[in-house]
PDB file of all heavy atoms in Angstrom:
ATOM      1  N   ILE A 289       8.129  19.141 -11.557  1.00 97.00           N
ATOM      2  CA  ILE A 289       9.215  18.213 -12.035  1.00 97.00           C
ATOM      3  C   ILE A 289      10.567  18.958 -11.939  1.00 97.00           C
ATOM      4  O   ILE A 289      11.553  18.392 -11.620  1.00 97.00           O
ATOM      5  CB  ILE A 289       8.926  17.716 -13.456  1.00 97.00           C
ATOM      6  CG1 ILE A 289       7.766  16.721 -13.501  1.00 97.00           C
ATOM      7  CG2 ILE A 289      10.204  17.197 -14.155  1.00 97.00           C
ATOM      8  CD1 ILE A 289       8.149  15.332 -13.136  1.00 97.00           C
ATOM      9  N   ILE A 290      10.577  20.184 -12.369  1.00 97.00           N
ATOM     10  CA  ILE A 290      11.817  20.987 -12.427  1.00 97.00           C
ATOM     11  C   ILE A 290      12.255  21.307 -11.064  1.00 97.00           C
ATOM     12  O   ILE A 290      13.481  21.212 -10.702  1.00 97.00           O
ATOM     13  CB  ILE A 290      11.620  22.228 -13.314  1.00 97.00           C
ATOM     14  CG1 ILE A 290      11.446  21.752 -14.788  1.00 97.00           C
ATOM     15  CG2 ILE A 290      12.802  23.251 -13.217  1.00 97.00           C
ATOM     16  CD1 ILE A 290      11.013  22.867 -15.729  1.00 97.00           C
ATOM     17  N   ASP A 291      11.323  21.689 -10.111  1.00 96.00           N
ATOM     18  CA  ASP A 291      11.661  21.917  -8.724  1.00 96.00           C
ATOM     19  C   ASP A 291      12.314  20.678  -8.116  1.00 96.00           C
ATOM     20  O   ASP A 291      13.349  20.655  -7.424  1.00 96.00           O
ATOM     21  CB  ASP A 291      10.325  22.141  -7.897  1.00 96.00           C
ATOM     22  CG  ASP A 291       9.853  23.593  -8.104  1.00 96.00           C
ATOM     23  OD1 ASP A 291      10.509  24.397  -8.724  1.00 96.00           O
ATOM     24  OD2 ASP A 291       8.712  23.823  -7.607  1.00 96.00           O
ATOM     25  N   THR A 292      11.713  19.481  -8.443  1.00 97.00           N
ATOM     26  CA  THR A 292      12.219  18.232  -7.987  1.00 97.00           C
ATOM     27  C   THR A 292      13.577  17.882  -8.580  1.00 97.00           C
ATOM     28  O   THR A 292      14.494  17.317  -7.862  1.00 97.00           O
ATOM     29  CB  THR A 292      11.248  17.058  -8.312  1.00 97.00           C
ATOM     30  OG1 THR A 292       9.974  17.458  -7.746  1.00 97.00           O
ATOM     31  CG2 THR A 292      11.723  15.727  -7.693  1.00 97.00           C
ATOM     32  N   ALA A 293      13.848  18.242  -9.808  1.00 97.00           N
ATOM     33  CA  ALA A 293      15.234  18.101 -10.396  1.00 97.00           C
ATOM     34  C   ALA A 293      16.224  18.804  -9.597  1.00 97.00           C
ATOM     35  O   ALA A 293      17.385  18.320  -9.363  1.00 97.00           O
ATOM     36  CB  ALA A 293      15.205  18.481 -11.901  1.00 97.00           C
ATOM     37  N   ILE A 294      16.007  20.033  -9.269  1.00 96.00           N
ATOM     38  CA  ILE A 294      16.835  20.909  -8.457  1.00 96.00           C
ATOM     39  C   ILE A 294      17.153  20.248  -7.081  1.00 96.00           C
ATOM     40  O   ILE A 294      18.222  20.175  -6.594  1.00 96.00           O
ATOM     41  CB  ILE A 294      16.348  22.360  -8.363  1.00 96.00           C
ATOM     42  CG1 ILE A 294      16.287  22.979  -9.772  1.00 96.00           C
ATOM     43  CG2 ILE A 294      17.188  23.089  -7.401  1.00 96.00           C
ATOM     44  CD1 ILE A 294      15.544  24.270  -9.824  1.00 96.00           C
ATOM     45  N   PHE A 295      15.947  19.923  -6.467  1.00 97.00           N
ATOM     46  CA  PHE A 295      16.041  19.247  -5.144  1.00 97.00           C
ATOM     47  C   PHE A 295      16.946  17.928  -5.278  1.00 97.00           C
ATOM     48  O   PHE A 295      17.847  17.722  -4.451  1.00 97.00           O
ATOM     49  CB  PHE A 295      14.590  18.830  -4.724  1.00 97.00           C
ATOM     50  CG  PHE A 295      14.528  18.069  -3.427  1.00 97.00           C
ATOM     51  CD1 PHE A 295      14.638  18.727  -2.218  1.00 97.00           C
ATOM     52  CD2 PHE A 295      14.256  16.717  -3.378  1.00 97.00           C
ATOM     53  CE1 PHE A 295      14.580  18.033  -1.052  1.00 97.00           C
ATOM     54  CE2 PHE A 295      14.251  16.073  -2.240  1.00 97.00           C
ATOM     55  CZ  PHE A 295      14.310  16.684  -0.990  1.00 97.00           C
ATOM     56  N   ASP A 296      16.656  17.109  -6.244  1.00 97.00           N
ATOM     57  CA  ASP A 296      17.457  15.802  -6.427  1.00 97.00           C
ATOM     58  C   ASP A 296      18.868  16.103  -6.745  1.00 97.00           C
ATOM     59  O   ASP A 296      19.745  15.309  -6.226  1.00 97.00           O
ATOM     60  CB  ASP A 296      16.766  15.016  -7.518  1.00 97.00           C
ATOM     61  CG  ASP A 296      15.512  14.247  -7.088  1.00 97.00           C
ATOM     62  OD1 ASP A 296      15.354  14.172  -5.866  1.00 97.00           O
ATOM     63  OD2 ASP A 296      14.710  13.882  -8.030  1.00 97.00           O
ATOM     64  N   TYR A 297      19.223  17.101  -7.465  1.00 96.00           N
ATOM     65  CA  TYR A 297      20.552  17.483  -7.745  1.00 96.00           C
ATOM     66  C   TYR A 297      21.327  17.834  -6.435  1.00 96.00           C
ATOM     67  O   TYR A 297      22.485  17.425  -6.219  1.00 96.00           O
ATOM     68  CB  TYR A 297      20.670  18.661  -8.707  1.00 96.00           C
ATOM     69  CG  TYR A 297      22.101  19.044  -9.109  1.00 96.00           C
ATOM     70  CD1 TYR A 297      22.833  18.261  -9.867  1.00 96.00           C
ATOM     71  CD2 TYR A 297      22.649  20.229  -8.563  1.00 96.00           C
ATOM     72  CE1 TYR A 297      24.068  18.573 -10.239  1.00 96.00           C
ATOM     73  CE2 TYR A 297      23.970  20.512  -8.868  1.00 96.00           C
ATOM     74  CZ  TYR A 297      24.737  19.741  -9.726  1.00 96.00           C
ATOM     75  OH  TYR A 297      26.009  20.072 -10.079  1.00 96.00           O
ATOM     76  N   LEU A 298      20.649  18.573  -5.613  1.00 96.00           N
ATOM     77  CA  LEU A 298      21.202  18.974  -4.304  1.00 96.00           C
ATOM     78  C   LEU A 298      21.508  17.813  -3.356  1.00 96.00           C
ATOM     79  O   LEU A 298      22.524  17.783  -2.688  1.00 96.00           O
ATOM     80  CB  LEU A 298      20.444  20.032  -3.618  1.00 96.00           C
ATOM     81  CG  LEU A 298      20.216  21.345  -4.272  1.00 96.00           C
ATOM     82  CD1 LEU A 298      19.209  22.242  -3.559  1.00 96.00           C
ATOM     83  CD2 LEU A 298      21.654  22.067  -4.293  1.00 96.00           C
ATOM     84  N   ILE A 299      20.639  16.797  -3.369  1.00 96.00           N
ATOM     85  CA  ILE A 299      20.829  15.635  -2.609  1.00 96.00           C
ATOM     86  C   ILE A 299      21.568  14.453  -3.283  1.00 96.00           C
ATOM     87  O   ILE A 299      21.865  13.485  -2.659  1.00 96.00           O
ATOM     88  CB  ILE A 299      19.545  15.116  -1.949  1.00 96.00           C
ATOM     89  CG1 ILE A 299      18.599  14.594  -3.126  1.00 96.00           C
ATOM     90  CG2 ILE A 299      18.838  16.195  -1.152  1.00 96.00           C
ATOM     91  CD1 ILE A 299      17.240  14.018  -2.531  1.00 96.00           C
ATOM     92  N   GLY A 300      21.825  14.669  -4.612  1.00 95.00           N
ATOM     93  CA  GLY A 300      22.490  13.587  -5.442  1.00 95.00           C
ATOM     94  C   GLY A 300      21.643  12.369  -5.595  1.00 95.00           C
ATOM     95  O   GLY A 300      22.164  11.244  -5.717  1.00 95.00           O
ATOM     96  N   ASN A 301      20.295  12.662  -5.806  1.00 96.00           N
ATOM     97  CA  ASN A 301      19.379  11.504  -6.104  1.00 96.00           C
ATOM     98  C   ASN A 301      19.164  11.307  -7.655  1.00 96.00           C
ATOM     99  O   ASN A 301      18.476  12.147  -8.223  1.00 96.00           O
ATOM    100  CB  ASN A 301      18.043  11.718  -5.357  1.00 96.00           C
ATOM    101  CG  ASN A 301      17.055  10.643  -5.689  1.00 96.00           C
ATOM    102  OD1 ASN A 301      17.395   9.553  -6.147  1.00 96.00           O
ATOM    103  ND2 ASN A 301      15.834  10.967  -5.373  1.00 96.00           N
ATOM    104  N   ALA A 302      19.748  10.288  -8.274  1.00 95.00           N
ATOM    105  CA  ALA A 302      19.573  10.050  -9.595  1.00 95.00           C
ATOM    106  C   ALA A 302      18.677   8.888  -9.967  1.00 95.00           C
ATOM    107  O   ALA A 302      18.631   8.266 -11.002  1.00 95.00           O
ATOM    108  CB  ALA A 302      20.897   9.860 -10.329  1.00 95.00           C
ATOM    109  N   ASP A 303      17.751   8.584  -8.985  1.00 94.00           N
ATOM    110  CA  ASP A 303      17.004   7.423  -9.070  1.00 94.00           C
ATOM    111  C   ASP A 303      15.452   7.577  -8.977  1.00 94.00           C
ATOM    112  O   ASP A 303      14.715   6.724  -8.586  1.00 94.00           O
ATOM    113  CB  ASP A 303      17.464   6.428  -7.793  1.00 94.00           C
ATOM    114  CG  ASP A 303      16.925   5.060  -8.029  1.00 94.00           C
ATOM    115  OD1 ASP A 303      16.991   4.463  -9.093  1.00 94.00           O
ATOM    116  OD2 ASP A 303      16.363   4.393  -6.969  1.00 94.00           O
ATOM    117  N   ARG A 304      15.084   8.836  -9.351  1.00 95.00           N
ATOM    118  CA  ARG A 304      13.618   9.044  -9.321  1.00 95.00           C
ATOM    119  C   ARG A 304      12.929   8.624 -10.666  1.00 95.00           C
ATOM    120  O   ARG A 304      12.614   9.465 -11.522  1.00 95.00           O
ATOM    121  CB  ARG A 304      13.330  10.548  -8.983  1.00 95.00           C
ATOM    122  CG  ARG A 304      11.971  10.802  -8.441  1.00 95.00           C
ATOM    123  CD  ARG A 304      11.702  12.271  -8.012  1.00 95.00           C
ATOM    124  NE  ARG A 304      12.627  12.586  -6.927  1.00 95.00           N
ATOM    125  CZ  ARG A 304      12.329  12.364  -5.584  1.00 95.00           C
ATOM    126  NH1 ARG A 304      11.263  11.635  -5.214  1.00 95.00           N
ATOM    127  NH2 ARG A 304      13.183  12.726  -4.658  1.00 95.00           N
ATOM    128  N   HIS A 305      12.719   7.406 -10.860  1.00 94.00           N
ATOM    129  CA  HIS A 305      12.275   6.787 -11.992  1.00 94.00           C
ATOM    130  C   HIS A 305      10.670   6.911 -12.065  1.00 94.00           C
ATOM    131  O   HIS A 305      10.134   6.842 -13.077  1.00 94.00           O
ATOM    132  CB  HIS A 305      12.633   5.379 -12.240  1.00 94.00           C
ATOM    133  CG  HIS A 305      12.557   4.546 -10.969  1.00 94.00           C
ATOM    134  ND1 HIS A 305      11.390   3.958 -10.543  1.00 94.00           N
ATOM    135  CD2 HIS A 305      13.535   4.250 -10.023  1.00 94.00           C
ATOM    136  CE1 HIS A 305      11.607   3.298  -9.389  1.00 94.00           C
ATOM    137  NE2 HIS A 305      12.928   3.483  -9.103  1.00 94.00           N
ATOM    138  N   HIS A 306      10.035   6.955 -10.854  1.00 95.00           N
ATOM    139  CA  HIS A 306       8.607   7.257 -10.758  1.00 95.00           C
ATOM    140  C   HIS A 306       8.456   8.337  -9.728  1.00 95.00           C
ATOM    141  O   HIS A 306       9.355   8.656  -8.968  1.00 95.00           O
ATOM    142  CB  HIS A 306       7.900   5.960 -10.336  1.00 95.00           C
ATOM    143  CG  HIS A 306       7.791   4.968 -11.405  1.00 95.00           C
ATOM    144  ND1 HIS A 306       8.921   4.106 -11.692  1.00 95.00           N
ATOM    145  CD2 HIS A 306       6.911   4.525 -12.280  1.00 95.00           C
ATOM    146  CE1 HIS A 306       8.456   3.283 -12.629  1.00 95.00           C
ATOM    147  NE2 HIS A 306       7.322   3.550 -13.004  1.00 95.00           N
ATOM    148  N   TYR A 307       7.279   8.821  -9.652  1.00 96.00           N
ATOM    149  CA  TYR A 307       6.929   9.780  -8.587  1.00 96.00           C
ATOM    150  C   TYR A 307       5.383   9.619  -8.237  1.00 96.00           C
ATOM    151  O   TYR A 307       4.653   8.993  -9.018  1.00 96.00           O
ATOM    152  CB  TYR A 307       7.230  11.211  -8.971  1.00 96.00           C
ATOM    153  CG  TYR A 307       6.340  11.800 -10.074  1.00 96.00           C
ATOM    154  CD1 TYR A 307       5.095  12.402  -9.810  1.00 96.00           C
ATOM    155  CD2 TYR A 307       6.700  11.710 -11.440  1.00 96.00           C
ATOM    156  CE1 TYR A 307       4.294  12.918 -10.870  1.00 96.00           C
ATOM    157  CE2 TYR A 307       5.921  12.247 -12.418  1.00 96.00           C
ATOM    158  CZ  TYR A 307       4.776  12.755 -12.162  1.00 96.00           C
ATOM    159  OH  TYR A 307       3.859  13.374 -13.057  1.00 96.00           O
ATOM    160  N   GLU A 308       5.052  10.134  -7.170  1.00 95.00           N
ATOM    161  CA  GLU A 308       3.593  10.066  -6.669  1.00 95.00           C
ATOM    162  C   GLU A 308       2.989  11.408  -6.495  1.00 95.00           C
ATOM    163  O   GLU A 308       3.697  12.416  -6.257  1.00 95.00           O
ATOM    164  CB  GLU A 308       3.531   9.359  -5.294  1.00 95.00           C
ATOM    165  CG  GLU A 308       3.707   7.859  -5.352  1.00 95.00           C
ATOM    166  CD  GLU A 308       5.188   7.491  -5.354  1.00 95.00           C
ATOM    167  OE1 GLU A 308       6.085   8.303  -5.148  1.00 95.00           O
ATOM    168  OE2 GLU A 308       5.402   6.289  -5.797  1.00 95.00           O
ATOM    169  N   SER A 309       1.708  11.508  -6.844  1.00 96.00           N
ATOM    170  CA  SER A 309       0.901  12.686  -6.536  1.00 96.00           C
ATOM    171  C   SER A 309      -0.404  12.118  -5.897  1.00 96.00           C
ATOM    172  O   SER A 309      -0.565  10.879  -5.791  1.00 96.00           O
ATOM    173  CB  SER A 309       0.508  13.414  -7.825  1.00 96.00           C
ATOM    174  OG  SER A 309      -0.299  12.607  -8.660  1.00 96.00           O
TER     175      SER A 309
END
Side-chain angles (χ1 to χ4, degrees):
I289 289 280
I290 293 168
D291 286 351
T292 303
I294 295 166
F295 177 79
D296 283 339
Y297 180 75
L298 291 173
I299 65 177
N301 178 18
D303 194 46
R304 202 173 294 280
H305 43 82
H306 289 79
Y307 68 87
E308 284 80 15
S309 69

